[in-house]
Amino acid sequence: MVDLPMIPTVPRHVTVFVNWACNLTCRECWMYGDSAAESTWLEEVKRDQISLEMWNGLVDELAHGQKEKVYLTIMGGEPLMHPQLVRLVREAKTRLPDCNLDMSTNATLLPRYAEELVDAGIDDVYVSIDGPTPEINNPIRGRKSFERAMDGLKALQAASRKAGRGPHIALNFTVTGMNYTYLPDMIRLAESVGVKEVTVGLASYFTKEEGKASRAAFEDATGRPFLSWAGYCNEHQHADIDPARLRELMDEAENLTDAVDVLIAPTRYDSTQKSRFFSADWRHIIRESTCVKLWAQTTVLPNGDVISCTTFSDTVMGNIRDSSLSQVFHGETYRRMRDTIKQGLQPICHRCCELNMDIDVDPALYAHQ
C-alpha cells in the first residue's frame, strides 16, 4: 500500500484581506473599477475590516500548526486604511517572528506610516503603480495617484535608511490594454528610483460566457451563488493589445538592465506564449490541468470567511469565527472544491492570476484518480 502525502495541518501560504476600503478607483479593480457594478458587491461589505482578535488568533494558529516557514500576505482594499495596520504587522512578527510578511499597497498613505512599518518589521512591500508617469498612471488609478505613490515610496526608503534596515521593496505593475506599451518604461522608472525588482502581472479578466459556464461547478462545491467573477469582465480594456508587440515589450523589459529583476507572471511560460494571454489562444496554450494552490494556500477575508480562490470572494469554504483555520482547510467544502478542480479547470480559471503561483506541492495530492 502506497502512503499518500498529507495535506498540511494549516497552509504555509496565507493571504489576508484585512479590509475592503480603498482610497483609489483603479479601472481594472473588480470592486471599484469599470465592471464593479456588475459584481453585485454590497456597500456594507466594503466597510468590513479584520479585528485584532481575529488576526492574532489566526497568526497564533499558524505559529502552532506549521513546522515550515509561513508566508503571510496582507492585502485589501488598501491595507493602510485599516486603523490598526501597523499593530497587525507588529503582532504577526512578534507571534510568528520567522514568517515572511509582505503587503501590497498603492503607497499613497505610506508617508504617514513608513517609519512605524519599518520598526514593526514588515519583510516585503509591493508598491502598485499602473504606469511610469502621471500621464499614464493617473487616468487608470486616479487623480494624483502617481505623485502620491512616489512620495510614499520615498518615505519608505528614507525610513529604511534611517533605521539601517527595512523591507524589500518592489514595484507591482498590472499589464492591461491601457498601459502595456509602457512596460519597459516601468523598468526604467524602477532603476531611476532605486527599486531593484518589478513584478509584472497580466491582468485577470473573464468573459461573461466563461463566468456563466463555471457557475454550476463552483456552486455545487460551495453551496452558494458564484457571482464575483462579474467584476472582472474587462474584455474592453484589452481588446487592442497586439500580441506581437507585447512579446517584444516583455523581451525588452526582461533584458533592459541588470540592476532590476523583472518577474513577469505567469513565470512558467516564455514571452511568445505569454503574449497570447489576452487572446482566445491562451486556453489552448496553458499547461496547468488543476490549481495546486488548493492544497497549499488559502485566503481569509475581513469578516473571517476563508476562500479557496483569492480572486473570487464567494468561494467560501468556512469561517474562522466558527472554526479553526485547520478545520476549514480540512473540511468537507474544501474537499469538494479540491475534487472539482482535480477533475479539470473551469473556464473561469484559465486567466486567473492565482493559477500560476509558484508553490511546491506534491503532485500525488492532486493527481487525477
Side-chain angles (χ1 to χ4, degrees):
M1 183 176 179
V2 178
D3 290 330
L4 294 177
M6 299 291 291
I7 297 174
T9 304
V10 290
R12 292 180 63 200
H13 301 261
V14 179
T15 297
V16 182
F17 285 82
V18 297
N19 63 350
W20 289 126
C22 191
N23 58 342
L24 298 183
T25 54
C26 304
R27 289 188 58 192
E28 71 272 21
C29 177
W30 74 281
M31 286 187 292
Y32 299 99
D34 285 0
S35 299
E38 301 294 327
S39 69
T40 65
W41 190 248
L42 302 176
E43 284 299 323
E44 57 268 27
V45 175
K46 291 182 182 179
R47 294 192 290 270
D48 283 352
Q49 57 189 30
I50 199 167
S51 68
L52 181 63
E53 179 183 20
M54 183 181 292
W55 173 265
N56 286 345
L58 174 63
V59 172
D60 286 344
E61 184 178 359
L62 293 174
H64 291 104
Q66 181 58 257
K67 303 301 183 184
E68 300 179 86
K69 188 179 184 71
V70 172
Y71 294 84
L72 188 56
T73 296
I74 293 175
M75 295 186 69
E78 168 48 50
L80 290 173
M81 292 186 70
H82 192 297
Q84 294 182 296
L85 191 280
V86 173
R87 177 78 180 274
L88 300 183
V89 172
R90 198 178 303 278
E91 291 287 350
K93 293 303 292 183
T94 299
R95 295 167 181 265
L96 188 54
D98 293 333
C99 76
N100 190 91
L101 182 60
D102 68 76
M103 177 181 70
S104 293
T105 174
N106 63 39
T108 60
L109 302 177
L110 270 177
R112 303 182 197 174
Y113 300 109
E115 290 192 7
E116 292 179 280
L117 278 173
V118 169
D119 182 66
I122 195 162
D123 295 294
D124 303 279
V125 175
Y126 294 90
V127 174
S128 296
I129 299 175
D130 282 341
T133 65
E135 291 74 22
I136 305 306
N137 179 87
N138 293 355
I140 301 172
R141 297 184 68 84
R143 181 175 176 269
K144 295 289 185 181
S145 55
F146 180 86
E147 296 88 340
R148 294 164 64 196
M150 289 295 100
D151 288 344
L153 171 62
K154 292 173 184 175
L156 186 59
Q157 291 172 319
S160 298
R161 288 193 296 270
K162 180 179 178 181
R165 60 181 178 85
H168 168 75
I169 302 172
L171 298 186
N172 189 40
F173 179 65
T174 300
V175 172
T176 69
M178 301 175 285
N179 62 11
Y180 80 103
T181 57
Y182 299 94
L183 175 55
D185 291 323
M186 284 296 301
I187 314 308
R188 296 184 180 96
L189 171 66
E191 186 172 23
S192 71
V193 298
V195 171
K196 297 182 179 180
E197 181 179 350
V198 177
T199 58
V200 180
L202 306 180
S204 292
Y205 79 99
F206 316 103
T207 66
K208 290 184 178 181
E209 292 71 26
E210 289 168 338
K212 292 175 182 177
S214 303
R215 284 193 62 178
F218 278 85
E219 290 175 359
D220 284 348
T222 65
R224 63 176 67 206
F226 177 56
L227 301 169
S228 60
W229 55 268
Y232 294 92
C233 290
N234 290 324
E235 282 184 279
H236 62 284
Q237 293 180 352
H238 319 301
D240 296 330
I241 289 179
D242 177 357
R245 181 64 178 138
L246 178 58
R247 179 185 58 78
E248 293 173 355
L249 293 163
M250 288 191 289
D251 287 340
E252 181 182 352
E254 291 180 319
N255 295 288
L256 196 60
T257 174
D258 292 333
V260 179
D261 291 329
V262 180
L263 180 69
I264 303 178
T267 57
R268 291 189 291 273
Y269 295 84
D270 62 31
S271 59
T272 299
Q273 294 166 324
K274 285 187 281 195
S275 70
R276 310 301 301 179
F277 181 87
F278 296 97
S279 73
D281 298 341
W282 178 249
R283 187 168 180 175
H284 306 290
I285 293 170
I286 194 167
R287 295 188 295 270
E288 283 79 11
S289 60
T290 191
C291 182
V292 302
K293 69 186 287 272
L294 287 165
W295 286 265
Q297 190 270 354
T298 199
T299 299
V300 180
L301 302 186
N303 66 353
D305 279 346
V306 179
I307 59 174
S308 61
C309 306
T310 304
T311 306
F312 305 119
S313 66
D314 43 13
T315 57
V316 179
M317 303 289 101
N319 192 290
I320 58 174
R321 292 176 302 188
D322 310 315
S323 307
S324 68
L325 180 61
S326 177
Q327 288 172 325
V328 175
F329 197 58
H330 290 263
E332 178 63 20
T333 307
Y334 239 122
R335 184 196 65 76
R336 288 198 302 269
M337 182 63 82
R338 291 185 183 111
D339 286 347
T340 297
I341 302 301
K342 190 187 294 185
Q343 303 307 312
L345 297 173
Q346 290 297 306
I348 206 78
C349 300
H350 295 92
R351 278 189 301 271
C352 173
C353 60
E354 295 291 315
L355 179 62
N356 298 284
M357 290 178 67
D358 289 319
I359 294 178
D360 291 327
V361 180
D362 191 324
L365 280 171
Y366 55 87
H368 182 71
Q369 302 299 319

